[in-house]
Amino acid sequence: QGTWLMISAKTGSMLTVQEAALRLFGDTTETHTARIYRSIKLGEIQVRKIGGRKMIPAWQIDNLEGRGVEPE
């Protein structure tokens, strides 16, 4: 089960900041999570607040990884 959260078929899966850091940088160090938070603050990564947590649509991380996936 893990920490993946399915919202709907339209929005797809959502990632925590730590999961996004792991996918992008291969680790969840303080430096890597700070880079994610900086990107959020700059508007490079958009988040949704769910239960007070910042969740990142997985397709945004796919785009940053160069996969070019858009939401349905």
Side-chain angles (χ1 to χ4, degrees):
Q1 206 166 3
T3 54
W4 287 85
L5 176 66
M6 284 302 283
I7 302 301
S8 73
K10 266 193 172 202
T11 57
S13 44
M14 303 289 278
L15 305 172
T16 64
V17 169
Q18 289 75 21
E19 290 168 332
L22 184 60
R23 281 201 30 203
L24 288 174
F25 309 116
D27 203 348
T28 59
T29 64
E30 189 175 326
T31 300
H32 293 138
T33 55
R35 289 176 70 183
I36 298 292
Y37 281 115
R38 189 175 320 116
S39 292
I40 292 168
K41 186 175 181 178
L42 293 172
E44 297 169 347
I45 297 175
Q46 295 183 15
V47 296
R48 292 191 180 170
K49 280 196 161 185
I50 300 174
R53 296 179 74 188
K54 291 181 178 174
M55 302 297 290
I56 302 167
W59 65 266
Q60 286 192 61
I61 303 305
D62 291 339
N63 284 348
L64 291 172
E65 291 177 322
R67 296 182 193 179
V69 178
E70 288 296 322
E72 294 178 6

